[in-house]
Amino acid sequence: MTNLPVKTYPLPENTPEKAPLPAFDPSDANYFDMFAPQFYNLETMQALMKEGGGPLLLEVESVAVEYVFNPEKGEESGEWKPVIHFTNGGPALVVNRTRARTLMEATGSIRVNEWARVGWLEVAAGIENGQAQIVLRPSSGLSGNGEAGPESAKLEDLELDELNEALFGHS
């Protein structure tokens, strides 16, 4: 068996000796390091788009039917829903009817277990069916220079200020 190198980070001086090592660099921590959500939500998506300058470009790893519930309301508050898991290991995305139609059209299949074939998705905050929500667009996953990456994520949807104006009447 090979010993893999363990990545270590400088810890603040007041760190207790028995504290476990963090799985992230504390000197460069972000929201997802500190409060890793299980699922993307509209508020988080808007913040990520603002920081990154546009939609996220994510590669679909799998789509599975899972029991999704609000922990504050208890397990009985849940429903069985399709959930998209991405290769980046970050939050998953619960599929609603609008996103399901996008996946069905992109894959040509009504079967949830075949929706992962969509490959890359542009994921953004937007307006569909008159509602603010996370919207999906199939993507090749390639930028203009042929490399995979978020720089290729360009939707023809509303800018963040325009989205706020449409939703709340001010930017």
Side-chain angles (χ1 to χ4, degrees):
M1 183 192 304
T2 336
N3 289 333
L4 298 175
V6 175
K7 196 168 192 177
T8 58
Y9 305 102
L11 297 175
E13 289 181 29
N14 61 349
T15 303
E17 217 175 282
K18 293 183 180 182
L21 292 175
F24 56 87
D25 181 351
S27 67
D28 190 31
N30 65 43
Y31 172 85
F32 288 103
D33 292 333
M34 303 308 300
F35 308 102
Q38 183 177 0
F39 301 108
Y40 283 111
N41 62 41
L42 187 59
E43 179 183 18
T44 302
M45 187 59 58
Q46 287 176 316
L48 289 169
M49 288 176 61
K50 185 175 183 181
E51 183 173 323
L56 291 142
L57 181 62
L58 299 170
E59 186 177 15
V60 176
E61 180 174 70
S62 65
V63 182
V65 176
E66 300 176 19
Y67 189 72
V68 179
F69 65 94
N70 181 340
E72 294 175 7
K73 294 182 179 179
E75 291 180 8
E76 63 280 355
S77 70
E79 295 180 71
W80 289 94
K81 298 268 188 179
V83 176
I84 303 171
H85 295 273
F86 300 101
T87 59
N88 68 353
L93 180 63
V94 177
V95 177
N96 61 15
R97 287 179 190 267
T98 303
R99 293 189 280 268
R101 281 193 294 276
T102 299
L103 293 167
M104 285 189 307
E105 289 172 12
T107 61
S109 177
I110 63 169
R111 303 206 177 282
V112 173
N113 62 355
E114 294 182 14
W115 292 350
R117 292 183 308 157
V118 72
W120 290 89
L121 290 171
E122 290 179 349
V123 184
I127 298 176
E128 287 211 16
N129 300 326
Q131 294 184 1
Q133 59 181 295
I134 297 174
V135 296
L136 307 177
R137 300 283 182 265
S139 174
S140 66
L142 299 178
S143 66
N145 62 10
E147 296 178 11
E151 58 275 358
S152 67
K154 291 187 173 53
L155 286 178
E156 296 170 10
D157 287 328
L158 301 172
E159 295 293 325
L160 189 56
D161 289 341
E162 294 171 319
L163 177 61
N164 285 331
E165 177 70 29
L167 293 172
F168 308 112
H170 54 37
S171 40

